[in-house]
Amino acid sequence: MGSLEIIRRNSASMPAQEMREETCCPKFATRILKEAVKAGTSQSHGYATQKNLLYGYWNKLPKKVQSYVEENIKICKPSTLHICDGSDRENELLMYILQRDGMIKPLPKLENCWLAKTDPADVARVESKTFISTEEERDTIPIPKSGVKGTLGKWMSPEDLDTELNMRFPGCMEGRTMYVIPFSMGPVGSPLSKIGIQLTDSAYVVASMRVMTRMGSKVLSTLGNNEFIKCLHSVGRPLPLQEKLNNNWPCNPKQTIIAHLPAKNEICSYGSGYGGNSLLGKKCFALRLGSILGHREGWLAEHMLILGLENDKGEKKYMAAAFPSACGKTNLAMMTPTLPGYKVTCVGDDIAWMRFDKDGRLRAINPEAGFFGVAPGTSMKTNPNAMKTITRNTVFTNVAETSEGSVFWEGLEEEVPRTAQITSWLGVPEWTPDSGKPAAHPNSRFCTPAKQCPIMDPDWESPEGVPIDAIIFGGRRPEGVPLVYEAYNWNHGVFIGASMRSEATAAAEHKGKVVMHDPFAMRPFFGYNFGHYLKHWLSFQEQSNLKLPKIYHVNWFRKDDQGKFIWPGFGENSRVLDWIFRRVNGEDCAVQSAVGNIPTPNSLNMEGINQNVDMEALFALPKDFWQREVKEVSKYFDEQVNEDLPPEIMQELRKLETRVNTML
Ligand code: OXD
Ligand code: MN
C-alpha cells in the first residue's frame, strides 16, 4: 500500500474532532513519517532506482519526469524521495518537518501563520551569482563598450557552467529528502500556462512553492507529452553536516550559483534556500526563461503587476505596470482608490505573461498563485488589502515577532499593541528603534495565497487572460520626472521603457541613494540580450492586426526643495489611473510636452483630495534636468547596449533630445 493511501486511510477512519487534534500533534506526523518510510520500501510504487520513496506515487509520474528525477537522484544522492501531491495533509507534514528541524515556528496570534528566520547570509537574491548559459555570449548579453563593465546580466559558457555544477551537485542531497514538485505557472490547463518540475532538498521551498504556484498531482494530469521546465535546487548542505548551521537554516552562501540553461529548458540553483534564488518558478522561470520562451514563441514575460480599474460608471479596463523591485507594485496592485465610486481589482502583483490573441488584443495572465511581498512598509495605511490577506496561511521570513505571537516590521509602529515586546529578525529580544538597527530585515517577506486577497479580480484565473489596455512604466524619481506622461506611439513607449531609471538604496559601499538604470524593471531578470529584447517589443508595431495598448510613465515619488513628496500617492494614485483610463477611451484631456502627452490643466480629477498639491511643481519639466537625462540615457545605451541598440530606439532618443533642446 502506498504512503498516500496510508495517510488517507488514517484520516478516513478518524472522527473529525479527533482528526483535527491529531493533525496538530507532532506524534501524528511522526507516525505518518514512519509508516510512509515503511510503505516506501514497497516495490508496488515501481520506484526502481532506490527503495526509499517516502511519500507519493512513482508510477503517476510521466516517463519523462521519471527520467529527470532518476538522473538527478544519481547525481545528488538523496536518502529519500517525496513526490508532492499538493494536498493539505502533505502541507501539514511539511510544516511538522520544518518545525521539527527548527526552521519555522507558529505565530499563535495569527491563523496558520509561521515565522522562518534564515541564516543572515542568505537573505536576498544574489545577482552577482546568477548566470545565463548559452553557446554565444551575445545571445545572453549585449557586449558593452570596451573598458565598461556590463550590467545587463551575466553569461557563462556551457563548459564553464558544467565545471561549476560538477563541483557542487554530486552528493549534495546526501542524508536529505529530494522533493519532486510538479507545478504550473498560470492556471492549470490555460493555453498561456507552462509547467515545471522542481527537485529540491528544502521543505521550506516546497511549502513556499505550494503558495506561489499551482502545485501537485493536478498539474501532472495536464502535462501529458508536453515539455516542462527542469528546475533543480539544492541548499548545498548534505548530511552529516561538516559545520553547524546558523538559525538551523541550511545554505551554502560561498558556493551559491543560480544558472539558467535556455537550450535545455533547465534551471540549476545551488546554495541558497531563500526567495527568487530557490523558488524557481518566480524570477528564474517566469521571468528569465519566460522572456526567452516569449521571444521564441511571440509573447512577453514581464516584471509587471496587473490590475483592473472600474470607474464610477461601472466601466472596466485592465492595466499592466512595470516598476523596479520595492517601488510599490504590490501596493498599486491592491490599491483602495480615493476617487468615489472607483474600484481596483488585483490580477497579480509581480509578473505578467502577455500574448496577443487572434483578435489582436493583448491578454495577460499572472503566472503566480501567491504574493511574495516585501513586508516592511506594508500597513493598514499603505496597503490594507495586503494586511487582510496575510492574517492566515502565511509564511513570514526574517520579520520581527511580538511577545503576543504576531509579527512586526518597520511601518507597523501604530498597529502593534504598545505593551507588545519585539524580538528582532536577528533574535535580539526587547528590540527598540534606539538600537539603530531595523527590527525586520529590509528584504523580509510574506508568502501568502493570492486567493485570500479581498480584491482579487473575478477573472484573475481566467485561462484566456485579461485584456490589457494600458502599459505603465515607472520608478522612484525624486527630481524632474512628472507625475504621468503618455507615449506618442508604441516605439516611443518602448523607448520610455528602455530609459527607465529609479532611485535605489545603493549597495553598502556607496553612500546615500542613487538613481540606477532599470530598463523595463527587468534589469536583473532579462533572460536574453536586452538589445534583442527591445527588437522583440518593437516587432509588434509592425503587425498591423494588433491593437497595441497605450504606454505611460508615472512617478509617484517627486520631491520638493525641502525633500518632501509632492504627491500623496497610495489611494490617490487612482486619479492618475483614471486619467489613463479616459485617455484609453479617447478623451481629449492631454497636451503635448517634450517628454510625451501630459494632462491638460484641470483634467486630473482632484475632487475630494484632502491635501494641497502643487500641480505646477508636479508637472514641471526643467530643461537642464532633461538635457542631463538625455545625456545619461544616451551614455547608458552607448556603453551598455552598444551595437545591439535597435536604430528605432536611437531615433526616439534623438527626437527627445530635439524636443528638450527646443523647450523654453
Ligand atoms: C521580487 C523582486 O522579489 O522584484 O519581486 O525582487
Ligand atoms: Mn519583483
Side-chain angles (χ1 to χ4, degrees), residues 8 97 135 170 277 301 310 313 342 399 423 477 535 550 559 587 605 627 647:
R8 289 229 174 90
I97 290 167
E135 289 292 341
N277 302 329
E310 197 177 306
K313 298 177 201 74
Y342 281 66
V399 303
T423 302
R477 298 304 304 263
K535 252 180 130 167
K550 278 178 171 285
K559 290 181 176 166
E587 194 176 311
N605 184 348
Q627 283 177 324

Side-chain angles (χ1 to χ4, degrees), residues 529-600:
N529 183 319
F530 171 51
H532 305 169
Y533 168 99
L534 286 171
K535 252 180 130 167
H536 181 46
W537 266 78
L538 292 167
S539 71
F540 296 107
Q541 162 87 10
E542 289 144 27
Q543 302 176 40
S544 57
N545 60 324
L546 303 185
K547 301 180 178 85
L548 297 173
K550 278 178 171 285
I551 300 182
Y552 297 83
H553 188 280
V554 299
N555 175 27
W556 321 132
F557 302 97
R558 195 165 184 173
K559 290 181 176 166
D560 65 17
D561 297 343
Q562 273 79 53
K564 277 184 63 189
F565 290 116
I566 306 176
W567 178 249
F570 302 108
E572 304 295 2
N573 294 336
S574 57
R575 300 175 193 277
V576 176
L577 298 186
D578 163 64
W579 182 80
I580 292 173
F581 191 116
R582 282 154 44 214
R583 287 295 296 157
V584 170
N585 264 351
E587 194 176 311
D588 181 13
C589 52
V591 54
Q592 290 192 358
S593 81
V595 297
N597 292 317
I598 58 173
T600 47

Side-chain angles (χ1 to χ4, degrees), residues 283 303 329 350:
K283 304 297 184 182
H303 193 200
K329 278 210 302 296
D350 196 42

Side-chain angles (χ1 to χ4, degrees), residues 37 258 319 542 597:
V37 173
I258 297 111
M319 305 176 183
E542 289 144 27
N597 292 317

Side-chain angles (χ1 to χ4, degrees), residues 125 127 275-276 282-283 287 303 323-326 329-330 349-351 368 372-374 443 445 521 524-525:
R125 282 186 288 105
E127 269 173 48
K282 194 173 177 63
K283 304 297 184 182
L287 287 178
H303 193 200
F323 303 114
S325 309
K329 278 210 302 296
T330 306
D349 79 327
D350 196 42
I351 299 175
E368 302 191 280
F372 187 68
V374 176
N443 190 39
R445 301 278 178 150
F525 309 120

Side-chain angles (χ1 to χ4, degrees), residues 392-410:
R392 296 176 284 139
N393 309 320
T394 300
V395 178
F396 297 89
T397 304
N398 288 342
V399 303
E401 66 185 295
T402 67
S403 47
E404 27 135 41
S406 186
V407 287
F408 178 79
W409 49 75
E410 282 58 32

Side-chain angles (χ1 to χ4, degrees), residues 422-495:
I422 291 164
T423 302
S424 81
W425 77 281
L426 285 169
V428 179
E430 298 183 31
W431 174 92
T432 68
D434 302 337
S435 68
K437 302 228 172 81
H441 186 277
N443 190 39
S444 55
R445 301 278 178 150
F446 50 77
C447 180
T448 192
K451 61 174 188 261
Q452 290 183 187
C453 173
I455 61 155
M456 283 319 277
D457 190 89
D459 284 336
W460 83 277
E461 298 201 273
S462 129
E464 68 272 20
V466 296
I468 297 296
D469 279 314
I471 291 175
I472 306 172
F473 296 118
R476 282 179 188 268
R477 298 304 304 263
E479 242 195 292
V481 179
L483 179 65
V484 57
Y485 60 98
E486 180 186 77
Y488 288 126
N489 51 48
W490 182 259
N491 282 9
H492 181 218
V494 176
F495 163 76

